Amino acid sequence: MTEKYRRVSGDAVEYEVFARKTRGEPLHQVGSVVAPDDDLAAAYARATYDEERWIEMTIVRKDHVIALWSPGE
Amino acid sequence: MSISGVVLSIADNKQMLGLRYAEWATRAPSLEADIAAAAMGLDDLGHSRVLYGCLEPLGDDPRGPERESDPASLSALPYFDEPWSEWAQFVAANAILDTAFTVMIEACVNGNVEVLQHRLRKMLSEERYHFLHGRSWLRSGIEKGPLDEAWRQALEWFGPPDGDAAALHEEGKLAMGPSELKSRLEERLETKAPPMELSWKGWDGKRRRTKPGAIDARTFGMLRGLEEKRFAPAAKAQD
């Protein structure tokens, strides 16, 4: 049944999920989701990380993040 | 039918939609889709509770005692009568039927019935994620069969052109009548309904469907708490 749907292993990309609970705190990473497009990533992020009372949640495609340095560099 | 009948039908359908979503919480194509199925199921079961809670303040609760024993007294669509065996059925329900229910809720929120204006508004923001999920999966392409069936049942559920939804629209209780509901559904899904002829011959205005039938016995038993009794410990003998 699910063999026909290979989206996660095919076109899907990783999105980082950021959220905060109060205006005073910065957005911080709460996890990630894998999805083939922005809409589905938004739906997955909300479903997966909505257990806390966030006032803001955003998602960013991981391949759009520009790393300045990484662990071990 | 009064506005209460429409609200009861949204509630019954959302209850069944929530249950059918939940059945896919470990069978969807990815872990994320599993979690989304569970979360959307919880949302819709919660929405059904809010909708049932509106019936008393509306002052015209159409629920009778037959709902305790007769599954055919519930006003859910034939689409929910049996568990879904294919992911395409899930996607078609998620994209077409869930959005059809949301469009009807919009019509209630923008109508002139105060209790519905206030209590149903929050559902619209929660439904946004159901919509994104359904539309995205729909765009990926699914089989035509479940899709056409979901469209047919959604358009039937809006009711005949001269039926109750049209009358409620004229009274201002619903901000949209059947033709506006259809247009709004097409607008949201950015697609036209497939060409089809609707026959109102077998239309059951109370259940908002044309096909006879009812939900399966196991699901009905679960709704009534009867399934739970199968797992309850035997009652202790009185001393």
Side-chain angles (χ1 to χ4, degrees):
Chain A
M1 177 176 52
T2 57
E3 285 71 17
K4 282 181 275 182
Y5 302 96
R6 295 187 176 278
R7 302 177 50 170
V8 171
S9 55
D11 307 334
V13 296
E14 196 170 355
Y15 291 74
E16 302 289 1
V17 183
F18 297 86
R20 61 175 166 169
K21 288 182 185 170
T22 63
R23 285 174 186 273
E25 70 176 299
L27 282 165
H28 61 273
Q29 192 201 16
V30 294
S32 62
V33 292
V34 174
D37 60 49
D38 294 353
D39 283 355
L40 212 44
Y44 287 165
R46 182 260 177 178
T48 309
Y49 297 104
D50 192 40
E51 76 280 5
E52 297 190 60
R53 296 179 72 86
W54 309 113
I55 62 156
E56 186 174 356
M57 180 180 283
T58 61
I59 56 170
V60 181
R61 274 180 68 125
K62 195 171 181 179
D63 58 7
H64 286 182
V65 175
I66 301 168
L68 300 190
W69 61 83
S70 304
E73 290 182 15
Chain B
M1 185 191 276
S2 64
I3 189 72
S4 301
V6 173
V7 171
L8 177 59
S9 182
I10 312 173
D12 280 350
N13 276 298
K14 274 190 168 273
Q15 178 171 253
M16 285 312 305
L17 181 63
L19 284 173
R20 297 298 183 221
Y21 277 161
E23 288 168 351
W24 280 79
T26 56
R27 299 161 64 200
S30 69
L31 178 61
E32 279 91 346
D34 281 344
I35 296 168
M40 292 191 297
L42 282 173
D43 284 340
D44 277 314
L45 289 170
H47 293 171
S48 73
R49 295 291 121 198
V50 173
L51 287 153
Y52 289 128
C54 291
L55 295 171
E56 198 188 339
L58 284 172
D60 180 22
D61 190 339
R63 289 174 294 182
E66 68 280 3
R67 288 172 61 90
E68 294 296 318
S69 55
D70 179 11
S73 64
L74 303 184
S75 25
L77 289 171
Y79 205 95
F80 306 120
D81 283 354
E82 297 292 333
W84 303 324
S85 55
E86 298 292 331
W87 176 242
Q89 290 174 284
F90 183 110
V91 173
N94 185 199
I96 313 296
L97 294 174
D98 206 349
T99 309
F101 304 144
T102 303
V103 165
M104 186 67 94
I105 290 168
E106 272 180 24
C108 291
V109 168
N110 297 320
N112 62 16
V113 180
E114 208 171 323
V115 67
L116 302 181
Q117 288 171 348
H118 296 148
R119 292 198 190 181
L120 307 191
R121 191 173 295 276
K122 186 165 170 265
M123 281 178 206
L124 297 177
S125 58
E126 290 172 348
E127 281 294 335
R128 175 169 173 252
Y129 299 96
H130 297 212
F131 172 69
L132 293 176
H133 186 272
R135 188 179 63 175
S136 181
W137 274 104
L138 187 64
R139 283 175 176 166
S140 75
I142 61 163
E143 292 86 349
K144 199 168 165 351
L147 197 57
D148 285 356
E149 191 54 33
W151 270 109
R152 174 175 294 281
Q153 293 194 27
L155 300 185
E156 285 179 357
W157 186 71
F158 289 152
D162 55 351
D164 59 338
L168 290 166
H169 176 42
E170 272 187 32
E171 291 171 37
K173 290 178 178 170
L174 289 177
M176 291 181 271
S179 64
E180 293 87 1
L181 289 162
K182 179 189 175 191
S183 301
R184 178 74 178 128
L185 180 59
E186 291 175 329
E187 179 194 321
R188 291 218 64 196
L189 292 168
E190 297 166 4
T191 181
K192 287 279 175 198
M196 64 179 73
E197 251 182 59
L198 298 179
S199 164
W200 300 104
K201 210 173 170 184
W203 169 249
D204 179 341
K206 193 168 172 232
R207 302 182 71 203
R208 308 194 72 76
R209 57 191 270 173
T210 53
K211 279 187 197 162
I215 57 170
D216 62 287
R218 190 185 163 277
T219 305
F220 185 71
M222 187 172 63
L223 286 176
R224 301 269 59 82
L226 303 176
E227 281 289 305
E228 207 174 314
K229 287 184 182 165
R230 284 176 48 205
F231 301 100
K236 277 186 185 172
Q238 295 288 320
D239 291 328

